[in-house]
């Protein structure tokens, strides 16, 4: 390692490190044999978690077989958008650990965890249209990492009452991490065991909390891997890296996430660039097949993506905020999810990248999957059921890119009353009026969804939601949002005159004979005309 590290601790000699390892070995054995509380070791298979797992394995291996009385769960979360090289490394390590545990009668049980399908990256970005994650909108960390690992921990607690979570967190990772760990140390109810701020009935044990980075590497290089792995291969992955170069198991928001790590998700837009993936491609001709991933990630990483996103929030409401544009302050709508066009564009892009890497990848990576069938099925469900896009474009896009028909894992999903033909007819009738098209498709599909139900309770409310979100044009919707904002500010400032004037203009039917927004009530019952008219309901 060539990078320098600002140490929070005084340097130790090799002899002192050896003594510390011996002390930790005895400590691990004592804690393990003390009670029947199950252990969970959270690993990312980076340097820190690998060192902790190796310490614990070596300590437990030194115990007699009859003392290995409780299972030690080893959990790793696969976000399904990990760097493919690192992902392959992780799976290889998990397999070796499982094999060695069975052969040597060790109480280690590995678990490869995945986020729920609805929480996965592509279901959020392509399905719902969440914009590429940013520091102020980091929607990915909790869904992809925290939820999956915490759910496993909760299940163990629910079964056994409590658990001890063993992590490779270190105070020298960052000043923020050191502060959090020191605060938790003050609340310790047992020696070396800190309370878990987010998971009651679980205690956190951090054996190497006071180790420096160079000590971690010294231990991994000088002490052989006990389950048949090769720590030199891990060092090769880290070669040329800076401090804190791994994506740790994330169990709370204070843990450094992939955004500040070298090894993280290949789609990560929380950093300026994926330096590890770029270095792999640049320094190794055998990894040039990863270039489509880099290209897709760079296209996704656009700071100003307002033109690609809806002018409304994901729930259909226009919300305003004050921003600086061209050295001027303006009140503008908060951009919402990606539009239909861009969600389809990103789907096509990731499928094309998958096809390219499968064509050029080495034999052992030919089956690489960038987006799973479960995710594709969930995206299709969101587009059809939540966004009412019954043109059902996903199967068409999939077949155009891959040359294969799309097979949905959900039975009966293709039995729709509405389809692309009806969508095309509506598009032609609505011409360039995209909001009118959106309203009509939402109304028709809402009726379709209630058509098969034995009781249609709630249909009027759902139809009203369609009008609330889609019956105004873009300009009218934004104008209405400004009106509401001005009224709210006037009320807060106590300017009753301004409030009365704004309300008078809004409710003046002579100047505004038609409502600016249609409602379910006006569509169903019409609007009563004046007494001197012909009596027809409009």
């Amino acid at each position: 390692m060539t990078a320098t590290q600002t140490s929070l601790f005084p340097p130790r000699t090799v002899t002192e490190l050896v003594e510390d390892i011996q002390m930790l070995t005895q400590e691990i054995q004592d804690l393990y044999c003390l009670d029947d509380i199950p252990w969970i070791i959270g690993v990312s298979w980076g340097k820190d978690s690998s060192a902790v797992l190796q310490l614990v394995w070596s300590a437990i291996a030194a115990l007699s077989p009859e003392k290995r009385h409780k299972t030690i769960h080893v959990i790793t979360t696969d976000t399904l958008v990990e760097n493919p090289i690192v992902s392959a490394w992780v799976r290889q390590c998990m397999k070796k650990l499982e094999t060695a545990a069975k052969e040597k009668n060790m109480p280690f049980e590995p678990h490869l965890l995945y986020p729920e399908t609805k929480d996965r990256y592509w279901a959020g970005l392509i399905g719902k249209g969440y914009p590429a994650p940013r520091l102020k909108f980091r929607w990915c960390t909790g869904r992809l990492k925290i939820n999956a690992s915490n759910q496993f921990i909760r299940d163990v607690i629910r079964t056994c009452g409590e658990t001890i979570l063993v992590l490779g967190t270190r105070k020298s990772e960052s000043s923020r991490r050191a502060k959090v760990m020191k605060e938790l140390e003050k609340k310790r109810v047992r020696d070396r065991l800190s309370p878990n701020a987010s998971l009651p009935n679980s205690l956190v044990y951090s054996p190497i909390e006071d180790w420096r980075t160079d000590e971690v590497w010294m231990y991994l290089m000088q002490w052989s891997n006990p389950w048949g792995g090769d720590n030199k291969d891990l060092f090769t992955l880290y070669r040329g890296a800076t401090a804190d170069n791994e994506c740790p198991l994330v169990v709370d928001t204070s843990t450094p996430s992939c955004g500040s790590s070298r090894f993280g998700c290949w789609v990560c837009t929380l950093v300026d660039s994926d330096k590890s993936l770029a270095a792999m491609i640049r320094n190794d001709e055998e990894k040039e097949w990863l270039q489509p991933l880099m290209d897709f990630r760079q296209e996704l990483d656009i700071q100003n993506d307002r033109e690609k996103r809806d002018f409304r929030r994901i729930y259909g409401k226009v919300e305003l905020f004050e921003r600086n544009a061209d050295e001027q302050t303006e009140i503008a709508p908060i951009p919402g999810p990606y539009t239909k066009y861009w969600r389809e564009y990103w789907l096509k892009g990731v499928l094309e990248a998958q096809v390219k890497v499968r064509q050029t990848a080495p034999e052992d990576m030919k089956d690489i999957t960038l987006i799973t069938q479960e995710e594709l099925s969930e995206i299709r469900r969101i587009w059809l059921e939540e966004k009412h896009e019954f043109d059902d474009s996903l199967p068409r896009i999939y077949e155009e890119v891959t040359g294969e028909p799309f097979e949905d894992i959900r039975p009966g999903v293709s039995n729709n009353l509405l389809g692309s033909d009806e969508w095309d007819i509506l598009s032609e009738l609505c011409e360039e009026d995209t909001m009118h098209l959106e309203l009509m498709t939402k109304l028709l599909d809402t009726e379709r969804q209630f058509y098969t139900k034995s009781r249609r309770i709630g249909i009027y409310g759902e139809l009203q939601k369609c009008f609330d979100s889609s019956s105004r044009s873009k300009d009218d919707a934004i104008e209405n949002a400004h009106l509401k904002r001005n009224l709210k500010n006037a009320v807060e400032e106590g300017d009753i005159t301004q409030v009365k004037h704004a309300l008078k203009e809004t409710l003046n039917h002579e100047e505004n004979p038609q409502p600016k927004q249609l409602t379910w009530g006006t569509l169903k019952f019409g609007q009563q005309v004046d007494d001197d008219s012909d009596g027809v309901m409009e």
Side-chain angles (χ1 to χ4, degrees), residues 147 149-159 198-199:
N147 293 351
S149 56
N150 281 4
Q151 184 59 51
F152 182 92
I153 297 169
R154 290 191 188 98
D155 290 341
V156 173
I157 294 173
R158 189 177 297 112
T159 303
S198 58
L199 293 169

Side-chain angles (χ1 to χ4, degrees), residues 77 79 82 140-149 247-248 250 258:
T77 302
T79 64
E82 303 287 346
C140 52
T141 305
R143 289 176 172 84
L144 301 184
K145 285 192 167 289
I146 296 177
N147 293 351
S149 56
C247 185
V250 181
C258 299

Side-chain angles (χ1 to χ4, degrees), residues 78-82 91 114-115 120 122 266 369-372 375:
D78 184 354
T79 64
L80 297 175
V81 282
E82 303 287 346
R91 292 174 185 277
Y114 300 96
R120 295 179 185 177
W122 300 120
W266 67 268
T369 300
L370 301 183
I371 182 168
T372 65
E375 290 170 295

Side-chain angles (χ1 to χ4, degrees), residues 292 296 299 344-354 370 401:
F296 183 88
E299 186 174 11
E344 293 175 347
Y345 180 88
W346 297 132
L347 172 63
K348 184 178 180 181
V350 71
L351 287 172
E352 288 176 342
Q354 179 170 280
L370 301 183
V401 176

Side-chain angles (χ1 to χ4, degrees), residues 119-175:
D119 288 337
R120 295 179 185 177
Y121 184 83
W122 300 120
L125 187 132
I126 297 177
K128 292 185 177 294
Y130 293 150
R134 294 285 181 259
L135 292 177
K136 293 184 178 180
F137 187 43
R138 188 183 293 195
W139 56 266
C140 52
T141 305
R143 289 176 172 84
L144 301 184
K145 285 192 167 289
I146 296 177
N147 293 351
S149 56
N150 281 4
Q151 184 59 51
F152 182 92
I153 297 169
R154 290 191 188 98
D155 290 341
V156 173
I157 294 173
R158 189 177 297 112
T159 303
C160 304
E162 55 186 330
T163 186
I164 293 175
L165 183 61
V166 186
L167 299 177
T169 51
R170 295 182 298 112
K171 294 174 183 174
S172 64
E173 288 176 328
S174 67
S175 57

Side-chain angles (χ1 to χ4, degrees), residues 340 384 387-391 418-419 422-427 430 434-449 463 466 470:
K340 184 177 189 295
L384 285 172
K387 297 188 178 293
H388 305 286
E389 296 167 355
F390 54 75
D391 59 327
L418 301 171
E422 288 78 11
W423 185 280
D424 291 341
I425 292 172
L426 284 173
S427 298
C430 295
T434 57
M435 294 303 296
H436 191 197
L437 173 63
E438 180 180 296
L439 177 61
M440 293 300 103
T441 55
K442 282 186 175 181
L443 290 173
L444 286 171
D445 195 59
T446 299
E447 168 62 28
R448 178 198 62 80
Q449 291 182 11
L463 290 172
C466 298
S470 308

Side-chain angles (χ1 to χ4, degrees), residues 47-224:
K47 63 183 189 306
D48 296 334
S49 58
S50 295
V52 166
L53 180 57
Q54 184 168 312
L55 273 172
V56 175
W57 178 290
S58 300
I60 302 304
L63 294 173
S64 58
E66 61 270 15
K67 289 186 177 181
R68 303 170 192 167
H69 66 292
K70 61 185 179 184
T71 301
I72 299 177
H73 302 281
V74 180
I75 63 173
T76 299
T77 302
D78 184 354
T79 64
L80 297 175
V81 282
E82 303 287 346
N83 180 313
I85 303 300
V86 178
S87 181
W89 159 264
V90 167
R91 292 174 185 277
Q92 180 185 11
C93 291
M94 293 285 283
K95 186 175 182 179
K96 288 182 178 179
L97 180 70
E98 182 178 20
T99 302
K102 292 178 180 178
E103 292 177 350
K104 300 180 180 181
N105 194 28
M106 292 289 284
F108 290 80
E109 187 175 310
H111 306 270
L112 187 57
L113 310 178
Y114 300 96
E116 292 186 46
T117 304
K118 65 181 180 64
D119 288 337
R120 295 179 185 177
Y121 184 83
W122 300 120
L125 187 132
I126 297 177
K128 292 185 177 294
Y130 293 150
R134 294 285 181 259
L135 292 177
K136 293 184 178 180
F137 187 43
R138 188 183 293 195
W139 56 266
C140 52
T141 305
R143 289 176 172 84
L144 301 184
K145 285 192 167 289
I146 296 177
N147 293 351
S149 56
N150 281 4
Q151 184 59 51
F152 182 92
I153 297 169
R154 290 191 188 98
D155 290 341
V156 173
I157 294 173
R158 189 177 297 112
T159 303
C160 304
E162 55 186 330
T163 186
I164 293 175
L165 183 61
V166 186
L167 299 177
T169 51
R170 295 182 298 112
K171 294 174 183 174
S172 64
E173 288 176 328
S174 67
S175 57
R176 179 170 180 250
R177 191 60 182 162
K179 181 179 179 180
V180 171
M181 294 179 71
K182 288 179 181 177
E183 288 297 321
L184 291 175
E185 284 179 10
K186 299 176 184 178
K187 302 176 183 179
R188 284 179 174 174
V189 294
R190 291 174 56 183
D191 291 341
R192 297 284 283 172
L193 300 180
S194 300
N196 192 322
S198 58
L199 293 169
N201 286 15
S202 66
L203 298 173
V204 177
Y205 176 40
S206 306
I208 63 171
E209 61 185 7
D210 294 331
W211 283 25
R212 303 188 312 270
T213 299
D214 60 316
E215 293 175 329
V216 174
W217 282 118
M218 185 182 299
Y219 173 68
L220 290 172
M221 294 297 103
Q222 299 300 322
W223 278 259
S224 60

